[in-house]
Amino acid sequence: VMAAWCGKKAQLDRICGRPGWDRIRAVKTRRVYEIKSADILAPGLSLMRGARQMAAIFKESRIK
């Protein structure tokens, strides 16, 4: 699970605490990540930074 909150830090504990989310594998295995909103929600070259962050998360998830 990847989260971004526009202009604020994502509240991963609140996201994981949603009803029923305790059954989601990513939550069970603590694979819930924050991507800074400026890196994926704003147009321009910052999208490349966000893409690199997502690629690193995907790579890490495959290793485990």
Side-chain angles (χ1 to χ4, degrees), residues 10-58:
Q11 297 178 2
L12 300 181
D13 290 337
R14 284 186 66 189
I15 293 169
C16 294
R18 292 176 177 168
W21 279 54
D22 58 333
R23 295 187 301 266
I24 297 172
R25 187 184 324 183
V27 174
K28 288 180 183 179
T29 58
R30 300 189 161 282
R31 291 183 181 167
V32 181
Y33 304 91
E34 177 180 16
I35 306 251
K36 291 183 180 179
S37 60
D39 293 341
I40 61 168
L41 301 177
L45 294 176
S46 65
L47 289 174
M48 292 305 296
R49 193 173 323 132
R52 286 187 197 105
Q53 289 176 52
M54 286 189 275
I57 290 168
F58 289 136

